[in-house]
Amino acid sequence: MLKYTALITGGALSASFTSVFLSGCSKPETDTSELHFFGEDAFERVSLMADTILPRTDSPSATDVNVHHTIDTMIGLVFDMDFKTSFREQWEELELFLDDRNFLNLSQSERVELVRSIELNNGVCTSSAKRAYTELKQQTIAYYLTTEEIGKNYLNYLPIPGDYRPTITIDEVNNRAWTI
């Protein structure tokens, strides 16, 4: 899963994310309206960014499975203070970039193009803003893939594994990745 996340985001996972992800944290509650790290305006941007990264298709969007709440909870309650301080500075740069481009009022296709410009890093934003985006993208993908909804209903899921077969064809697993 970590390898696929790194491949999807085009880089290595940050050390802070990896340490928290591998620590076996319990699943945070996602039904609370209390925010732990982001303010309401910033949380709206996080929600839109998450849905731009993973929009609703034949599977739920990132916010449909509460990834935005998980990100807020993990950063606010689990990550260490050094990470929080660094991420807050980077996030402020990303917010300025998004606000300058009226991100909240863009259509989905316009948001995708804006995110693509950050991805390609054609000098459109600062390196701090790009780091904040990369961290947000990594968390969005990782938390999405580890939700119960996605794991059980959209990936191959075997609560009690059967025989180990080291070589199988992709057709034998319905062209789906395995849940961890």
Side-chain angles (χ1 to χ4, degrees), residues 9-173:
T9 60
L13 293 172
S14 67
S16 60
F17 172 76
T18 303
S19 67
V20 169
F21 191 75
L22 294 176
S23 69
C25 301
S26 62
K27 181 181 173 185
E29 293 182 25
T30 58
D31 57 356
T32 180
S33 61
E34 180 182 342
L35 297 175
H36 302 285
F37 183 78
F38 296 102
E40 287 183 29
D41 291 340
F43 188 69
E44 184 178 0
R45 286 179 196 83
V46 169
S47 301
L48 282 173
M49 288 291 286
D51 277 350
T52 302
I53 294 165
L54 291 170
R56 183 179 300 124
T57 56
D58 57 341
S59 61
S61 70
T63 58
D64 289 341
V65 293
N66 289 319
V67 166
H68 54 315
H69 285 284
T70 304
I71 291 169
D72 177 70
T73 301
M74 292 297 285
I75 294 174
L77 300 179
V78 177
F79 285 97
D80 66 32
M81 190 54 70
D82 290 338
F83 175 81
K84 289 180 193 181
T85 303
S86 172
F87 183 75
R88 184 166 308 278
E89 291 169 6
Q90 294 167 1
W91 176 257
E92 288 171 359
E93 289 283 328
L94 182 58
E95 274 189 313
L96 288 172
F97 173 78
L98 296 174
D99 288 347
D100 285 346
R101 280 139 184 92
N102 202 19
F103 182 74
L104 296 176
N105 297 317
L106 297 176
S107 68
Q108 176 67 12
S109 62
E110 291 169 326
R111 285 196 305 268
V112 168
E113 285 305 312
L114 183 59
V115 166
R116 186 171 289 141
S117 72
I118 297 171
E119 288 268 344
L120 297 174
N121 199 19
N122 297 331
V124 296
C125 65
T126 65
S127 60
S128 290
K130 173 135 177 146
R131 282 193 301 275
Y133 166 75
T134 301
E135 186 70 41
L136 183 69
K137 182 177 179 181
Q138 288 175 348
Q139 289 186 38
T140 299
I141 294 168
Y143 299 149
Y144 183 84
L145 291 174
T146 57
T147 62
E148 185 175 357
E149 169 74 15
I150 299 304
K152 285 186 175 179
N153 300 319
Y154 296 93
L155 298 173
N156 283 312
Y157 174 69
L158 283 175
I160 302 171
D163 298 346
Y164 172 71
R165 296 183 344 196
T167 307
I168 60 174
T169 66
I170 192 79
D171 293 331
E172 290 180 76
V173 292

